[in-house]
Amino acid sequence: MKLIDFIKCDSNDKLFFLGDLIDRGDRSSDVVRWVMESGHTCLRGNHEQMCLDAFGSDEGSLVWKGWLLNGGTNTLQSYGIEGMTQDHLEWMRQLPLYMDLGDAWLVHAGLNPNIPLELQGAAEFCWIREEFHSATEPFFEDKIIITGHTITFVFPNVKPGNLVLGKGWLDIDTGGYHPKSGWLTALDLDAAKVYQCNTFTDELRVNSLADITTVIEPMPTRAQRQELGKASPQKRRWSWV
């Protein structure tokens, strides 16, 4: 709530969450409840998708275990003895996968530039990385794609806390839960300002979008990395999370 208080939203502002409200800490249930009751728009992230997939599977299944290992255990504990409530599951189920604001297109992870938009779904919008980040041209001519999902410091030469600008996309996931960063980010689209709170130190800061954004070139695909490794085995390999 410290970041919410810092940005000082009023009744004329619209607040959008890019997903992954759960699985990152011991207050997931409180976060979901607050966003539900606030009426702010939230997109579905891969962690909400994992949760939905788990509750659609048998307990003990690989799907269920996979969610628990990726933060699901903390989420369930946050709901206490009663467990995940049905109204919260139904709310997650109806979350949109993307939001078109005209000059900006919000999505949790990205999209596949090689597939028509109408043929894509949660597999792309909640999970994609490589195909999206390796695109050499913007997907949209008239709008920028704003994403979370991939922590910005995993890109080459990006300082923890900085945003990343690629070919037609802007990644604002600065790793609020990660000890290497701790920065939780809110982007004011109209003013082009970035508000941040460090979840470990409680430090607050605001910067212009230009001052805190690192511009990068398209990331190499897996095939390109393999070719690079064959030609120059001593060169640095790309790493992904």
Side-chain angles (χ1 to χ4, degrees):
M1 295 303 297
K2 200 175 186 69
L3 182 58
I4 297 294
D5 293 337
F6 184 43
I7 62 179
K8 294 182 171 64
C9 283
D10 61 32
S11 59
N12 295 316
D13 293 320
K14 292 183 178 180
L15 191 60
F16 302 90
F17 293 89
L18 298 184
D20 281 3
L21 300 183
I22 62 172
D23 299 350
R24 292 292 183 249
D26 58 4
R27 299 191 63 184
S28 291
S29 61
D30 293 334
V31 174
V32 172
R33 186 175 298 106
W34 185 86
V35 176
M36 287 176 63
E37 294 175 353
S38 72
H40 297 305
T41 299
C42 182
L43 305 183
R44 191 190 312 171
N46 63 304
H47 283 270
E48 285 84 20
Q49 188 62 53
M50 281 193 289
C51 175
L52 292 171
D53 291 342
F55 276 92
S57 305
D58 294 331
E59 287 192 32
S61 66
L62 290 178
V63 173
W64 186 269
K65 292 177 180 178
W67 177 53
L68 294 181
L69 289 172
N70 282 280
T73 298
N74 286 339
T75 295
L76 289 178
Q77 289 175 347
S78 76
Y79 280 89
I81 193 169
E82 294 182 357
M84 177 74 75
T85 59
Q86 191 62 35
D87 61 326
H88 283 201
L89 283 173
E90 289 302 323
W91 180 79
M92 290 183 200
R93 193 168 286 116
Q94 58 80 42
L95 293 176
L97 294 172
Y98 62 84
M99 181 70 59
D100 190 344
L101 302 182
D103 58 349
W105 200 83
L106 313 183
V107 68
H108 178 68
L111 51 76
N112 191 325
N114 305 309
I115 300 176
L117 200 60
E118 63 271 16
L119 298 181
Q120 300 187 50
E124 291 79 24
F125 301 138
C126 295
W127 288 96
I128 201 164
R129 283 197 170 102
E130 180 173 291
E131 296 91 340
F132 179 62
H133 296 138
S134 62
T136 57
E137 298 292 338
F139 187 83
F140 297 112
E141 295 181 356
D142 59 346
K143 64 192 74 186
I144 188 168
I145 300 172
I146 299 177
T147 75
H149 188 52
T150 301
I151 300 177
T152 55
F153 67 66
V154 305
F155 293 99
N157 304 313
V158 177
K159 184 170 66 173
N162 274 24
L163 280 60
V164 168
L165 180 65
K167 294 294 184 179
W169 54 267
L170 177 70
D171 183 355
I172 68 171
D173 186 342
T174 45
Y177 77 94
H178 200 290
K180 184 176 178 179
S181 172
W183 289 108
L184 186 64
T185 293
L187 169 64
D188 183 335
L189 279 169
D190 296 319
K193 288 186 177 181
V194 178
Y195 295 79
Q196 296 181 309
C197 172
N198 193 289
T199 60
F200 297 106
T201 67
D202 286 336
E203 179 184 351
L204 296 168
R205 69 185 187 186
V206 59
N207 288 280
S208 71
L209 179 59
D211 287 342
I212 202 167
T213 298
T214 302
V215 180
I216 67 167
E217 292 300 313
M219 300 294 287
T221 64
R222 185 175 292 105
Q224 290 170 335
R225 296 199 303 275
Q226 290 174 345
E227 287 301 315
L228 179 64
K230 292 176 183 178
S232 306
Q234 300 303 315
K235 290 185 179 292
R236 177 173 175 248
R237 298 294 299 276
W238 299 103
S239 61
W240 298 79
V241 296

